[in-house]
Amino acid sequence: MGKIDPSEITPEHVYLNRRQLIKGMGALAAASFLAACSGDRERGASPLSSATPATGPAATPDPLEDTLTPYDDVTGFVNFYEFSLSKTEAAELAEDFRTSPWEVEVGGLVHSPRTFTLEEILAYQQQERIYRMRCVEGWSMVIPWTGFPLSRLLEAVDPTSEARFVRFETLYDPEQMPGQKTSVLDWPYVEGLRLDEAMHDLTILATGLYGKQLPPQNGAPVRLVAPWKYGFKSLKSIVKIDLTADMPVSTWVTAAPSRYGFYANVNPNLSPPIASQPTERVIGTGRQRETELFNGYGEAVAHLYAGMDLEQNF
Ligand SMILES: Nc1nc2c(c(=O)[nH]1)N[C@H]1C(S)=C(S)[C@@H](COP(=O)(O)O)O[C@H]1N2
Ligand SMILES: [Mo]
């Protein structure tokens, strides 16, 4: 199976394929997700499972012409500072994390505030979404998520006309999350999106990957994924979502405001000291590739930033 050189892939081309595939996949992915949820986890097959074993050493090209990152890398090499700064140790320490029962409280500037149980979240029709993820540390993965557009959940609570931003919070539970007994970050981990970014079809709440339940270390039971932004925006194990009038102050902006901005759109063209690595290491392939503006999703999202200075609004 020939690897496609990244320079041969135009973002438009990838995106169009992606759109077609996503459309055609809804029902299949939902079916496989139900299989995954019914307790038969080992055999909860992804729609890609014929081409891609859920576990195993070999990376396999997916129909989007990106190479899926092997399951063992996606689940074994993680950033989850609530557990550990070490990527492999975080995966181990998260093993027994309790993800049930779980609730997500959605409120703030909305007409119908509501607390969703995990079961209610899983009742939204789940789709397979294959997305690139680019971490500011200079590595990337291609991950087949299961999830659904965040817009579905936000529509259910009916934002008021004053709502302009969405603020997200990860669980705070130092007894379970030993990293929260340290002060490496301000806890709980907070992130935010502008409301139009949050409503964008590419923005999902992920509940699974590779057609299986989301492993604890990847942010179970429900996490955000906004694939045109650096990975740190995609916060894990969400318990609270608030609609706000003002721009939320996110954890990483508090930690290092000169380096991390609110938008955190993947952008290889920014000047230092802002995160600006022009290339990325593709985990599981030994390859280095050029980083693309908006992580290759420009066709879909560039209009959100029309007229904005991306150097100022990093
Ligand atoms: N709550 C929480 N969310 C988080 C993080 C974290 O430490 N805590 N790390 C972020 C970073 S830096 C990245 S790159 C992605 C990594 O997601 P993955 O480990 O599932 O690949 O999660 C993001 N979400
Ligand atoms: Mo990251």
Side-chain angles (χ1 to χ4, degrees), residues 21-184:
L21 205 94
I22 286 164
K23 277 202 191 120
M25 257 186 182
L28 246 179
S32 69
F33 185 79
L34 289 177
C37 280
S38 66
D40 195 4
R41 279 172 204 141
E42 291 313 295
R43 291 192 292 130
S46 132
L48 302 167
S49 61
S50 53
T52 311
T55 56
T60 312
D62 76 332
L64 304 183
E65 304 176 44
D66 273 335
T67 301
L68 291 189
T69 305
Y71 182 85
D72 289 349
D73 288 323
V74 176
T75 58
F77 180 91
V78 303
N79 272 333
F80 205 164
Y81 281 16
E82 283 83 343
F83 289 97
S84 173
L85 301 185
S86 148
K87 291 173 170 55
T88 47
E89 194 182 63
E92 276 167 40
L93 289 173
E95 209 170 47
D96 298 323
F97 181 55
R98 284 192 303 278
T99 56
S100 170
W102 193 271
E103 289 181 345
V104 182
E105 190 188 333
V106 189
L109 299 175
V110 300
H111 293 293
S112 314
R114 185 171 154 193
T115 297
F116 293 83
T117 64
L118 182 57
E119 291 67 30
E120 288 170 328
I121 285 170
L122 293 173
Y124 283 92
Q125 192 187 351
Q126 309 286 317
Q127 313 168 354
E128 177 110 341
R129 297 284 183 101
I130 298 168
Y131 286 160
R132 292 182 184 161
M133 177 158 72
R134 170 64 155 83
C135 174
V136 282
E137 294 168 336
W139 52 263
S140 65
M141 296 190 185
V142 182
I143 303 176
W145 301 105
T146 315
F148 64 101
L150 172 63
S151 63
R152 297 285 110 78
L153 198 87
L154 297 180
E155 282 157 7
V157 296
D158 195 10
T160 70
S161 56
E162 287 91 63
R164 291 191 52 225
F165 293 93
V166 187
R167 180 184 181 280
F168 305 84
E169 251 182 57
T170 292
L171 178 70
Y172 179 71
D173 184 356
E175 290 313 309
Q176 287 204 79
M177 297 171 140
Q180 289 180 334
K181 292 180 176 167
T182 74
S183 50
V184 288

